[in-house]
Amino acid sequence: MLPFVVAIDGPAASGKGTLARRIAQHFNLAHLDTGQLYRATAFLVLAADGDPGDQATAERAARRVDPAMLDDPRLLTEAVAQAASVVAAIPAVRRALLQFQREFAAHPPGGRRGAVLDGRDIGTAVCPDAAVKLFVTASREVRADRRLRELRQRGVAAIYQNVLQDMGERDARDEGRRAAPLAAASDAVIIDTTGLDADQAFERALEVVARALAAHGP
Ligand code: DC
């Protein structure tokens, strides 16, 4: 039996991460936040005072990413997020991180029957055969507002206009790059969370995933 794979893509602060965690927990599936791989790459580059846009430097860092780094809270800063979207545009970096993601989907840790992967290119490039593809999105203003609250909750002083501008720059880079740009797969179910809270988004996703799981078999 092939593992049951749920691919969740979408822009920053669309709610895809929360949704991915809840879906994984509800159906007892493994979960991989693939953005953490790009963040870890960026973190290694910045920690060595390197240039995230330099291909050789970024590729070397991507090859050094270790799963044990993925829970490091230092990956959550805005500086790392911006640098992550720069390293993510380098094809050699994407190639270096691809194997780990495919391996995770093909052999979900903990002997689980499947996995949820969230990112930007899971449904289009990493797992094009996923049983379920969700594309989670929201207006840029709503996403900037959510990110602002999240930053303030963590005690970071932030200004809405700056967060909105950073979000716009990151969107432009993630959508505009040539290598696996952020895009909805043609067979993805779109969930627009602009007017939804986390519970409502979860209800919609739950319905889609439960249907696919029933069709997938025990
Ligand atoms: O989801 P996030 O904010 O943690 O992602 C950080 C950056 O990593 C994002 O700006 C683009 C990149 N990324 C990517 O290119 N492909 C993925 N599958 C996940 C993230």
mmCIF file of all heavy atoms in Angstrom, residues 26-52:
data_model
loop_
_atom_site.group_PDB
_atom_site.id
_atom_site.type_symbol
_atom_site.label_atom_id
_atom_site.label_comp_id
_atom_site.label_asym_id
_atom_site.label_seq_id
_atom_site.Cartn_x
_atom_site.Cartn_y
_atom_site.Cartn_z
ATOM 1 N N HIS A 26 -4.967 14.914 13.415
ATOM 2 C CA HIS A 26 -6.290 14.304 13.345
ATOM 3 C C HIS A 26 -6.250 12.907 12.720
ATOM 4 O O HIS A 26 -6.929 11.991 13.181
ATOM 5 C CB HIS A 26 -7.237 15.206 12.547
ATOM 6 C CG HIS A 26 -8.645 14.718 12.513
ATOM 7 N ND1 HIS A 26 -9.563 15.051 13.482
ATOM 8 C CD2 HIS A 26 -9.302 13.892 11.657
ATOM 9 C CE1 HIS A 26 -10.710 14.460 13.219
ATOM 10 N NE2 HIS A 26 -10.579 13.754 12.108
ATOM 11 N N PHE A 27 -5.465 12.761 11.650
ATOM 12 C CA PHE A 27 -5.428 11.471 10.936
ATOM 13 C C PHE A 27 -4.207 10.625 11.320
ATOM 14 O O PHE A 27 -3.932 9.621 10.668
ATOM 15 C CB PHE A 27 -5.455 11.708 9.426
ATOM 16 C CG PHE A 27 -6.760 12.282 8.926
ATOM 17 C CD1 PHE A 27 -6.874 13.634 8.650
ATOM 18 C CD2 PHE A 27 -7.878 11.468 8.765
ATOM 19 C CE1 PHE A 27 -8.081 14.177 8.196
ATOM 20 C CE2 PHE A 27 -9.085 11.996 8.307
ATOM 21 C CZ PHE A 27 -9.185 13.351 8.030
ATOM 22 N N ASN A 28 -3.476 11.064 12.332
ATOM 23 C CA ASN A 28 -2.259 10.367 12.767
ATOM 24 C C ASN A 28 -1.271 10.143 11.614
ATOM 25 O O ASN A 28 -0.804 9.030 11.366
ATOM 26 C CB ASN A 28 -2.617 9.035 13.445
ATOM 27 C CG ASN A 28 -1.418 8.450 14.174
ATOM 28 O OD1 ASN A 28 -0.515 9.184 14.578
ATOM 29 N ND2 ASN A 28 -1.387 7.125 14.303
ATOM 30 N N LEU A 29 -0.967 11.233 10.911
ATOM 31 C CA LEU A 29 -0.005 11.188 9.806
ATOM 32 C C LEU A 29 1.261 11.930 10.237
ATOM 33 O O LEU A 29 1.211 12.794 11.120
ATOM 34 C CB LEU A 29 -0.595 11.880 8.561
ATOM 35 C CG LEU A 29 -1.941 11.332 8.062
ATOM 36 C CD1 LEU A 29 -2.534 12.256 7.000
ATOM 37 C CD2 LEU A 29 -1.769 9.916 7.500
ATOM 38 N N ALA A 30 2.395 11.595 9.599
ATOM 39 C CA ALA A 30 3.631 12.339 9.875
ATOM 40 C C ALA A 30 3.507 13.720 9.235
ATOM 41 O O ALA A 30 2.767 13.896 8.264
ATOM 42 C CB ALA A 30 4.816 11.582 9.289
ATOM 43 N N HIS A 31 4.241 14.702 9.783
ATOM 44 C CA HIS A 31 4.151 16.057 9.220
ATOM 45 C C HIS A 31 5.538 16.636 8.970
ATOM 46 O O HIS A 31 6.411 16.560 9.826
ATOM 47 C CB HIS A 31 3.378 16.980 10.187
ATOM 48 C CG HIS A 31 3.430 18.423 9.798
ATOM 49 N ND1 HIS A 31 3.723 19.429 10.676
ATOM 50 C CD2 HIS A 31 3.240 19.017 8.591
ATOM 51 C CE1 HIS A 31 3.699 20.585 10.041
ATOM 52 N NE2 HIS A 31 3.423 20.370 8.777
ATOM 53 N N LEU A 32 5.717 17.220 7.780
ATOM 54 C CA LEU A 32 6.969 17.937 7.481
ATOM 55 C C LEU A 32 6.647 19.337 6.972
ATOM 56 O O LEU A 32 5.979 19.505 5.948
ATOM 57 C CB LEU A 32 7.784 17.167 6.416
ATOM 58 C CG LEU A 32 9.102 17.831 6.000
ATOM 59 C CD1 LEU A 32 10.091 17.903 7.171
ATOM 60 C CD2 LEU A 32 9.745 17.079 4.834
ATOM 61 N N ASP A 33 7.128 20.342 7.732
ATOM 62 C CA ASP A 33 7.033 21.735 7.297
ATOM 63 C C ASP A 33 8.274 21.990 6.436
ATOM 64 O O ASP A 33 9.367 22.209 6.959
ATOM 65 C CB ASP A 33 7.014 22.628 8.549
ATOM 66 C CG ASP A 33 7.124 24.108 8.211
ATOM 67 O OD1 ASP A 33 7.276 24.452 7.024
ATOM 68 O OD2 ASP A 33 7.065 24.917 9.163
ATOM 69 N N THR A 34 8.117 21.934 5.113
ATOM 70 C CA THR A 34 9.297 21.984 4.236
ATOM 71 C C THR A 34 9.956 23.370 4.221
ATOM 72 O O THR A 34 11.121 23.490 3.853
ATOM 73 C CB THR A 34 8.952 21.567 2.785
ATOM 74 O OG1 THR A 34 8.031 22.512 2.231
ATOM 75 C CG2 THR A 34 8.359 20.172 2.748
ATOM 76 N N GLY A 35 9.215 24.405 4.620
ATOM 77 C CA GLY A 35 9.815 25.741 4.721
ATOM 78 C C GLY A 35 10.996 25.744 5.686
ATOM 79 O O GLY A 35 11.951 26.507 5.514
ATOM 80 N N GLN A 36 10.943 24.853 6.695
ATOM 81 C CA GLN A 36 12.028 24.791 7.678
ATOM 82 C C GLN A 36 13.349 24.345 7.032
ATOM 83 O O GLN A 36 14.419 24.701 7.514
ATOM 84 C CB GLN A 36 11.667 23.829 8.824
ATOM 85 C CG GLN A 36 10.507 24.287 9.684
ATOM 86 C CD GLN A 36 10.818 25.566 10.455
ATOM 87 O OE1 GLN A 36 10.689 26.666 9.929
ATOM 88 N NE2 GLN A 36 11.231 25.426 11.691
ATOM 89 N N LEU A 37 13.260 23.566 5.953
ATOM 90 C CA LEU A 37 14.487 23.131 5.268
ATOM 91 C C LEU A 37 15.171 24.330 4.611
ATOM 92 O O LEU A 37 16.399 24.469 4.648
ATOM 93 C CB LEU A 37 14.161 22.075 4.201
ATOM 94 C CG LEU A 37 13.528 20.773 4.708
ATOM 95 C CD1 LEU A 37 12.983 19.953 3.540
ATOM 96 C CD2 LEU A 37 14.555 19.962 5.482
ATOM 97 N N TYR A 38 14.343 25.203 3.989
ATOM 98 C CA TYR A 38 14.892 26.405 3.340
ATOM 99 C C TYR A 38 15.360 27.398 4.398
ATOM 100 O O TYR A 38 16.372 28.083 4.226
ATOM 101 C CB TYR A 38 13.847 27.018 2.400
ATOM 102 C CG TYR A 38 13.563 26.095 1.239
ATOM 103 C CD1 TYR A 38 12.550 25.141 1.309
ATOM 104 C CD2 TYR A 38 14.356 26.118 0.094
ATOM 105 C CE1 TYR A 38 12.316 24.249 0.272
ATOM 106 C CE2 TYR A 38 14.137 25.229 -0.947
ATOM 107 C CZ TYR A 38 13.115 24.295 -0.848
ATOM 108 O OH TYR A 38 12.906 23.409 -1.876
ATOM 109 N N ARG A 39 14.613 27.458 5.526
ATOM 110 C CA ARG A 39 15.021 28.347 6.613
ATOM 111 C C ARG A 39 16.342 27.876 7.231
ATOM 112 O O ARG A 39 17.208 28.683 7.558
ATOM 113 C CB ARG A 39 13.935 28.403 7.691
ATOM 114 C CG ARG A 39 12.739 29.240 7.264
ATOM 115 C CD ARG A 39 11.610 29.135 8.262
ATOM 116 N NE ARG A 39 10.457 29.911 7.858
ATOM 117 C CZ ARG A 39 10.133 31.115 8.350
ATOM 118 N NH1 ARG A 39 10.862 31.652 9.292
ATOM 119 N NH2 ARG A 39 9.073 31.758 7.914
ATOM 120 N N ALA A 40 16.485 26.560 7.395
ATOM 121 C CA ALA A 40 17.722 26.019 7.972
ATOM 122 C C ALA A 40 18.907 26.316 7.044
ATOM 123 O O ALA A 40 20.000 26.674 7.501
ATOM 124 C CB ALA A 40 17.585 24.513 8.209
ATOM 125 N N THR A 41 18.673 26.191 5.741
ATOM 126 C CA THR A 41 19.722 26.513 4.770
ATOM 127 C C THR A 41 20.132 27.976 4.918
ATOM 128 O O THR A 41 21.320 28.305 5.013
ATOM 129 C CB THR A 41 19.201 26.272 3.328
ATOM 130 O OG1 THR A 41 18.775 24.913 3.222
ATOM 131 C CG2 THR A 41 20.259 26.567 2.288
ATOM 132 N N ALA A 42 19.125 28.859 4.961
ATOM 133 C CA ALA A 42 19.389 30.300 5.080
ATOM 134 C C ALA A 42 20.105 30.603 6.391
ATOM 135 O O ALA A 42 21.045 31.403 6.433
ATOM 136 C CB ALA A 42 18.071 31.063 5.012
ATOM 137 N N PHE A 43 19.685 29.926 7.463
ATOM 138 C CA PHE A 43 20.282 30.160 8.776
ATOM 139 C C PHE A 43 21.783 29.824 8.752
ATOM 140 O O PHE A 43 22.616 30.582 9.259
ATOM 141 C CB PHE A 43 19.555 29.335 9.845
ATOM 142 C CG PHE A 43 20.152 29.480 11.200
ATOM 143 C CD1 PHE A 43 19.871 30.591 11.970
ATOM 144 C CD2 PHE A 43 21.020 28.521 11.702
ATOM 145 C CE1 PHE A 43 20.450 30.754 13.225
ATOM 146 C CE2 PHE A 43 21.589 28.670 12.952
ATOM 147 C CZ PHE A 43 21.307 29.790 13.714
ATOM 148 N N LEU A 44 22.116 28.689 8.131
ATOM 149 C CA LEU A 44 23.524 28.277 8.069
ATOM 150 C C LEU A 44 24.348 29.302 7.283
ATOM 151 O O LEU A 44 25.475 29.620 7.653
ATOM 152 C CB LEU A 44 23.647 26.891 7.416
ATOM 153 C CG LEU A 44 23.157 25.707 8.257
ATOM 154 C CD1 LEU A 44 23.168 24.414 7.444
ATOM 155 C CD2 LEU A 44 24.030 25.543 9.504
ATOM 156 N N VAL A 45 23.752 29.830 6.196
ATOM 157 C CA VAL A 45 24.466 30.829 5.389
ATOM 158 C C VAL A 45 24.686 32.106 6.210
ATOM 159 O O VAL A 45 25.804 32.628 6.290
ATOM 160 C CB VAL A 45 23.683 31.160 4.096
ATOM 161 C CG1 VAL A 45 24.322 32.327 3.356
ATOM 162 C CG2 VAL A 45 23.601 29.934 3.185
ATOM 163 N N LEU A 46 23.614 32.589 6.860
ATOM 164 C CA LEU A 46 23.710 33.841 7.623
ATOM 165 C C LEU A 46 24.656 33.693 8.820
ATOM 166 O O LEU A 46 25.413 34.615 9.140
ATOM 167 C CB LEU A 46 22.321 34.292 8.101
ATOM 168 C CG LEU A 46 21.303 34.669 7.017
ATOM 169 C CD1 LEU A 46 19.964 35.041 7.652
ATOM 170 C CD2 LEU A 46 21.807 35.815 6.139
ATOM 171 N N ALA A 47 24.620 32.516 9.463
ATOM 172 C CA ALA A 47 25.462 32.301 10.643
ATOM 173 C C ALA A 47 26.943 32.339 10.281
ATOM 174 O O ALA A 47 27.790 32.650 11.123
ATOM 175 C CB ALA A 47 25.118 30.963 11.295
ATOM 176 N N ALA A 48 27.264 32.050 9.008
ATOM 177 C CA ALA A 48 28.664 32.078 8.577
ATOM 178 C C ALA A 48 28.969 33.375 7.831
ATOM 179 O O ALA A 48 29.962 33.462 7.103
ATOM 180 C CB ALA A 48 28.944 30.864 7.691
ATOM 181 N N ASP A 49 28.054 34.380 7.984
ATOM 182 C CA ASP A 49 28.221 35.679 7.318
ATOM 183 C C ASP A 49 28.271 35.564 5.802
ATOM 184 O O ASP A 49 28.922 36.357 5.132
ATOM 185 C CB ASP A 49 29.504 36.382 7.808
ATOM 186 C CG ASP A 49 29.209 37.260 9.003
ATOM 187 O OD1 ASP A 49 28.050 37.686 9.146
ATOM 188 O OD2 ASP A 49 30.145 37.484 9.793
ATOM 189 N N GLY A 50 27.596 34.566 5.262
ATOM 190 C CA GLY A 50 27.602 34.351 3.816
ATOM 191 C C GLY A 50 26.496 35.124 3.114
ATOM 192 O O GLY A 50 25.641 35.742 3.757
ATOM 193 N N ASP A 51 26.508 35.070 1.779
ATOM 194 C CA ASP A 51 25.506 35.755 0.957
ATOM 195 C C ASP A 51 24.469 34.713 0.515
ATOM 196 O O ASP A 51 24.804 33.792 -0.232
ATOM 197 C CB ASP A 51 26.218 36.365 -0.263
ATOM 198 C CG ASP A 51 25.242 36.893 -1.295
ATOM 199 O OD1 ASP A 51 24.020 36.941 -1.025
ATOM 200 O OD2 ASP A 51 25.716 37.262 -2.396
ATOM 201 N N PRO A 52 23.188 34.863 0.953
ATOM 202 C CA PRO A 52 22.166 33.860 0.600
ATOM 203 C C PRO A 52 21.951 33.748 -0.914
ATOM 204 O O PRO A 52 21.471 32.731 -1.395
ATOM 205 C CB PRO A 52 20.896 34.383 1.285
ATOM 206 C CG PRO A 52 21.350 35.388 2.281
ATOM 207 C CD PRO A 52 22.662 35.925 1.815
#
